[in-house]
Amino acid sequence: MAVLDRTRTPVEPSAAPGRAAGGLGAGLLLAAVATVLWSGSFVTARGLHDSVPPVQHAFWRWVIALVAVAPFGVRAAWRERASLRKHVTFVTLAALLGVTVYNTLVNQAGLTTSAGNMGMIMAASPVLMAVYERLGGARLGPRRVAGTLVACTGVVLLVSKGSPTPDFAPGDLWVVGAAVCFGSYSALLRRRPKEIGGVAFLFATFVLGTLMLLPAFAVSVAVQGGFAVRPGTVGPLLYVGVVSSAIAFFAWNKAIALVGAARAGVVYYLQPVCVASLSYVVLGEDVGRTRGLCLALILGGVVLASANRPAHKRR
């Protein structure tokens, strides 16, 4: 037995870096997928600003997301109902931040600011994610700090359009609140209880978040009336419900579990570039001359902060 133990020992450490690298790559890829899919939701928030009231937009988004997730989520949530009940405060807080408030604020912002501005300001939320992780005792490292600063510089230039005095619309302040909610939600995900699986957690937050939106939805319908059900409203709602909610949130939550909020948050800096491109194609919003430099800074910062250290340096 002693001989067998000695032969096993050298094998396990060499396998660990490969598994870690694989997890890092998968986590960054999932974060990128979520970021790209979310970009469309900013365009729909702006595109529907004059046809679907913000709260109703958010409510039907999550109803559609619930229907999409239900075939998998109901069974998982029922199987893990004891764990969900035990950690109901955690799940409710995550639902409030990530479902009820975050997207409602984004939709409200779409009334008075461009999709491009929403994407740019939302890109500040990874800074808050990194701060939360640092306060939690995580060591970010000089490379990740430098990459975050470089990417953040690109975001600031995008927002200001190269001017030292950026012109904020009222909706920009709503997006600031949304960024705080999203950054807090992402940092909270890192503390998700291990006994709650990803699908059960996703379904439970969707249910609770939608229920918390219900009173505001009822008020909106009573005061503002409903909206016209036609392809121009239903199509975007189906997109944000299925793609930007069910698929994107599952990918993001999994990415956080694999690489942490701070590192996934750096990938989120790609959002303003995606939103700017989509808003130009779909809504005809001006791209601006400074975006080339900003794109280089954001992409460079993402690569720098997301890069893994070589295996021999980790030991």
Side-chain angles (χ1 to χ4, degrees), residues 49-312:
H49 76 281
D50 58 352
S51 56
V52 182
V55 173
Q56 296 180 44
H57 181 172
F59 179 79
W60 287 113
R61 168 183 183 154
W62 295 114
V63 169
I64 294 169
L66 269 175
V67 173
V69 173
F72 319 96
V74 170
R75 183 177 299 178
W78 177 256
R79 186 172 57 247
E80 300 172 31
R81 62 189 182 280
S83 298
L84 290 170
R85 192 181 303 114
K86 177 182 176 182
H87 300 285
V88 65
T89 301
F90 176 89
V91 177
T92 302
L93 180 58
L96 178 66
L97 291 172
V99 176
T100 306
V101 180
Y102 160 54
N103 287 284
T104 306
L105 292 181
V106 170
N107 296 341
Q108 182 67 34
L111 297 177
T112 53
T113 192
S114 67
N117 264 24
M118 286 190 278
M120 295 174 206
I121 297 170
M122 276 301 302
S125 57
V127 176
L128 187 59
M129 298 178 204
V131 170
Y132 279 136
E133 284 214 355
R134 185 67 187 91
L135 292 175
R139 183 179 180 275
L140 300 181
R143 180 179 295 179
R144 292 171 69 184
V145 171
T148 298
L149 291 175
V150 171
C152 194
T153 300
V155 171
V156 171
L157 287 176
L158 273 172
V159 173
S160 65
K161 298 180 177 64
S163 169
T165 56
D167 182 20
F168 286 95
D172 296 337
L173 298 179
W174 290 110
V175 188
V176 171
V180 172
C181 286
F182 182 73
S184 302
Y185 167 80
S186 298
L188 190 66
L189 288 180
R190 193 62 170 169
R191 299 181 179 275
R192 191 185 81 199
K194 294 182 179 179
E195 61 264 37
I196 301 178
V199 175
F201 177 79
L202 196 72
F203 182 73
T205 54
F206 284 7
V207 169
L208 290 173
T210 305
L211 288 175
M212 286 186 281
L213 261 175
L214 189 55
F217 169 76
V219 171
S220 175
V221 172
V223 174
Q224 299 173 294
F227 59 90
V229 178
R230 49 187 172 78
T233 55
V234 174
L237 288 175
L238 286 174
Y239 173 84
V240 295
V242 177
V243 180
S244 287
S245 297
I247 298 175
F249 268 81
F250 180 82
W252 182 257
N253 293 358
K254 184 65 175 177
I256 296 291
L258 288 173
V259 300
R263 182 163 274 158
V266 173
V267 179
Y268 191 80
Y269 278 115
L270 295 173
Q271 179 123 267
V273 179
C274 299
V275 174
S277 302
L278 278 174
S279 62
Y280 175 74
V281 173
V282 177
L283 303 176
E285 292 183 358
D286 183 30
V287 175
R289 296 181 178 180
T290 63
R291 295 189 190 272
L293 171 62
C294 297
L295 174 61
L297 287 171
I298 292 170
L299 289 176
V302 168
V303 171
L304 179 62
S306 301
N308 200 15
R309 291 181 298 171
H312 69 276

